[in-house]
């Protein structure tokens, strides 16, 4: 019913009524994050229609950081001058890093801004994420990418004990070779072959490389 009333009020451009209904919805559904997010999105539309910059800034930030909605990143950025955004960007990435590192939002922001140093820090802390982000880092930081790949592969090897997992590790080594890390891959194969010389299935798969 609330949604129908909101649609009617929007059609009639009764924005105060829309805001009131949306705020009531947020209170009534405060234990249901999905619905609260929906009502907040409607409020943002109202503020856009009325060009209420301060309210849009506050709500876009809340939807971005509080609810992890990346679509509000560009909306938020557009509400600041280039000079103002420099400071706001630091606030946004700090908040996103604290809450969403490895969950996608933080990394999506870094990719949007081509903030490769911060993205490189992410994969150094969480080497398994190199598979998702190496393509963004390879041009500017090839050696660091190869080094993180090696760390990732060595860690995978520590926790592997069957042929299926060995094949997966070998697929990562093939990828490392493919993206230019041939020497790094060769050295890693030699290290793995020496360290796990009692794992016949692993040696067999490594031998196929």
């Amino acid at each position: 019913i609330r949604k129908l009333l909101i649609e009617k009020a929007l059609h009639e451009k009764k924005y105060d009524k829309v805001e009131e209904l949306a705020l009531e919805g947020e209170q009534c559904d405060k234990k249901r994050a999905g619905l609260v997010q929906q009502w907040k999105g409607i409020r943002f539309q109202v503020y856009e229609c009325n060009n209420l910059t301060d309210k849009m800034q506050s709500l876009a930030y809340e939807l971005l950081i509080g609810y992890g909605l990346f679509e509000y990143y560009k909306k938020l950025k557009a509400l600041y001058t280039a000079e103002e955004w420099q400071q706001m960007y630091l606030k946004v990435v700090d908040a996103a890093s604290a809450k969403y590192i490895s969950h996608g939002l933080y990394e999506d922001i870094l990719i949007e801004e081509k903030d490769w140093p911060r993205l490189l820090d992410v994969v150094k802390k969480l080497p398994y994420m190199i598979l998702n982000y190496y393509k963004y880092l390879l041009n500017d930081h090839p050696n660091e990418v190869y080094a993180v790949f090696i760390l990732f592969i060595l860690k995978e090897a520590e926790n592997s004990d069957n042929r299926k997992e060995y094949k997966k590790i070998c697929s990562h080594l093939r990828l490392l070779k493919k993206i230019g890390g041939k020497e790094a891959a060769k050295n890693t194969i030699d290290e793995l072959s020496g360290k796990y010389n009692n794992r016949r299935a692993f040696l067999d798969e490594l031998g196929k490389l």
Side-chain angles (χ1 to χ4, degrees):
I1 294 172
R2 188 184 309 281
K3 206 168 181 183
L4 290 172
L5 290 172
I6 285 174
E7 288 174 0
K8 183 175 184 294
L10 277 172
H11 180 72
E12 296 172 352
K13 298 184 179 180
K14 294 180 178 179
Y15 298 124
D16 288 345
K17 184 63 177 177
V18 175
E19 182 182 17
E20 179 187 332
L21 287 165
L23 285 168
E24 286 176 358
E26 289 173 43
Q27 284 301 309
C28 291
D29 299 315
K30 57 187 174 183
K31 293 184 179 180
R32 303 168 71 182
L35 284 174
V36 172
Q37 171 188 310
Q38 175 182 295
W39 304 132
K40 287 182 183 293
I42 289 169
R43 271 206 294 132
F44 189 83
Q45 291 177 41
V46 169
Y47 301 151
E48 278 186 311
C49 291
N50 288 282
N51 200 28
L52 299 175
T53 302
D54 289 348
K55 287 188 173 183
M56 281 192 286
Q57 288 173 338
S58 176
L59 193 51
Y61 181 85
E62 183 182 354
L63 287 162
L64 175 67
I65 300 301
Y67 292 84
L69 299 177
F70 178 67
E71 59 262 36
Y72 283 90
Y73 179 76
K74 288 184 179 180
K75 293 178 184 289
L76 181 64
K77 184 177 180 179
L79 295 168
Y80 291 87
T81 66
E83 186 177 340
E84 291 170 338
W85 182 248
Q86 291 179 10
Q87 192 64 33
M88 188 62 191
Y89 176 68
L90 296 177
K91 178 182 177 181
V92 168
V93 292
D94 284 349
S97 173
K99 193 169 183 181
Y100 293 107
I101 190 168
S102 84
H103 293 283
L105 177 69
Y106 178 58
E107 294 79 17
D108 285 346
I109 291 170
L110 301 184
I111 291 167
E112 176 69 24
E113 296 296 338
K114 296 182 172 55
D115 193 340
W116 307 140
R118 281 190 175 87
L119 189 61
L120 184 60
D121 285 343
V122 170
V123 298
K124 283 181 176 179
K125 291 175 186 173
L126 303 167
Y128 69 91
M129 296 187 72
I130 193 65
L131 294 175
N132 295 328
Y133 300 115
Y134 73 87
K135 59 186 176 182
Y136 300 106
L137 298 167
L138 194 58
N139 285 339
D140 295 325
H141 305 281
N143 291 330
E144 289 93 335
V145 167
Y146 303 152
V148 175
F149 252 102
I150 292 169
L151 284 175
F152 167 60
I153 289 167
L154 293 177
K155 187 66 176 177
E156 287 272 283
E158 286 180 13
N159 300 312
S160 299
D161 61 5
N162 61 71
R163 189 175 289 272
K164 182 179 179 181
E165 291 172 346
Y166 300 151
K167 286 183 176 182
K168 189 175 180 182
I169 290 168
C170 289
S171 73
H172 299 328
L173 285 162
R174 288 189 182 92
L175 177 57
L176 177 56
K177 289 172 66 177
K178 182 179 178 180
I179 64 175
K182 291 183 179 180
E183 189 66 24
K186 180 182 181 301
N187 293 337
T188 305
I189 291 167
D190 290 342
E191 182 176 348
L192 292 171
S193 298
K195 188 173 182 180
Y196 300 107
N197 58 15
N198 60 333
R199 299 184 185 179
R200 292 185 180 179
F202 199 7
L203 293 177
D204 181 39
E205 293 300 328
L206 290 170
K208 295 175 183 178
L209 298 175

